[in-house]
């Protein structure tokens, strides 16, 4: 009878470890937050631009100037370099936003795929920000772009 207690204890510990591993994997899959995620650094130098007036009119306070985010990619044996530019960082009611300004030579296609192709990388690069503000200086408008949580919408593949 004493040998059975050992087996019960081993099975109990095995089940506990299995549940702990499954819980950890599930949590990691639902909330992947890499530790190498860059923090949003503020540039104290804010250059004058018509977008500043538009942002202030809409109640945003510009707290940071132009940022250059260096990128490097490994393709086969070659290293390729590029960079992303963030025009400003703004704040409103304790919410922080990345700001991109319009460029006449790079119009935005205001569709789901157009936003994905042009803006998603900024939202993914700084997930702690509350969204992205697109300031259209030609139309004198500010568009607030943010990612919806998976629970905020229902996706139907037949919609495409």
């Amino acid at each position: 009878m004493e040998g059975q207690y050992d087996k019960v204890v081993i099975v109990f510990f095995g089940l506990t470890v299995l549940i702990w591993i499954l819980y950890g994997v599930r949590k990691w899959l639902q909330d992947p937050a890499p530790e190498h995620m860059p923090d949003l650094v503020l540039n104290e130098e804010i250059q004058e631009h018509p977008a500043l007036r538009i942002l202030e009119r809409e109640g945003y306070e510009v707290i940071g100037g132009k940022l250059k985010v260096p990128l490097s990619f490994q393709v086969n044996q070659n290293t390729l370099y590029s960079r992303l530019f963030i025009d400003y960082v703004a704040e409103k009611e304790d919410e922080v936003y990345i700001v991109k300004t319009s460029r006449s030579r790079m119009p935005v296609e205001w569709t789901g795929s157009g936003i994905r192709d042009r803006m998603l990388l900024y939202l993914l690069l700084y997930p702690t920000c509350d969204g992205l503000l697109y300031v259209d200086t030609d139309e004198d408008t500010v568009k607030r772009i943010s990612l919806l949580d998976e629970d905020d919408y229902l996706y139907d593949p037949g919609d495409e």
Side-chain angles (χ1 to χ4, degrees), residues 32-55:
E35 294 188 20
H36 66 277
M37 193 67 66
D39 290 329
L40 186 61
V41 179
L42 296 179
N43 179 2
E44 301 292 327
E45 183 181 330
I46 300 172
Q47 297 177 349
E48 209 41 53
H49 189 276
L52 294 176
R53 178 188 54 79
I54 298 169
L55 286 167

Side-chain angles (χ1 to χ4, degrees), residues 60 96-98 100 108 110 114-116 118-120 122-123 129-135 142-148:
Y60 295 97
V96 177
Y97 298 93
I98 295 169
K100 288 296 293 172
V108 175
W110 292 104
I115 303 269
R116 176 200 64 215
R118 291 285 307 282
M119 308 296 177
L120 179 64
Y122 297 102
L123 296 170
C129 285
D130 295 295
L132 182 137
L133 302 174
Y134 183 80
V135 181
V142 175
K143 292 184 176 158
R144 183 175 170 263
I145 303 167
S146 57
L147 282 173
L148 294 177

Side-chain angles (χ1 to χ4, degrees), residues 76-92:
N76 293 335
Q77 306 321 46
N78 299 325
T79 303
L80 305 174
Y81 300 95
S82 186
R83 57 192 170 272
L84 289 174
F85 291 99
I86 295 172
D87 295 319
Y88 297 102
V89 177
E91 183 179 45
K92 181 179 183 180

Side-chain angles (χ1 to χ4, degrees), residues 135-154:
V135 181
D136 192 330
T137 54
D138 295 333
E139 294 182 12
D140 208 33
T141 60
V142 175
K143 292 184 176 158
R144 183 175 170 263
I145 303 167
S146 57
L147 282 173
L148 294 177
D149 288 334
E150 187 176 301
D151 298 334
D152 292 342
Y153 68 92
L154 296 173

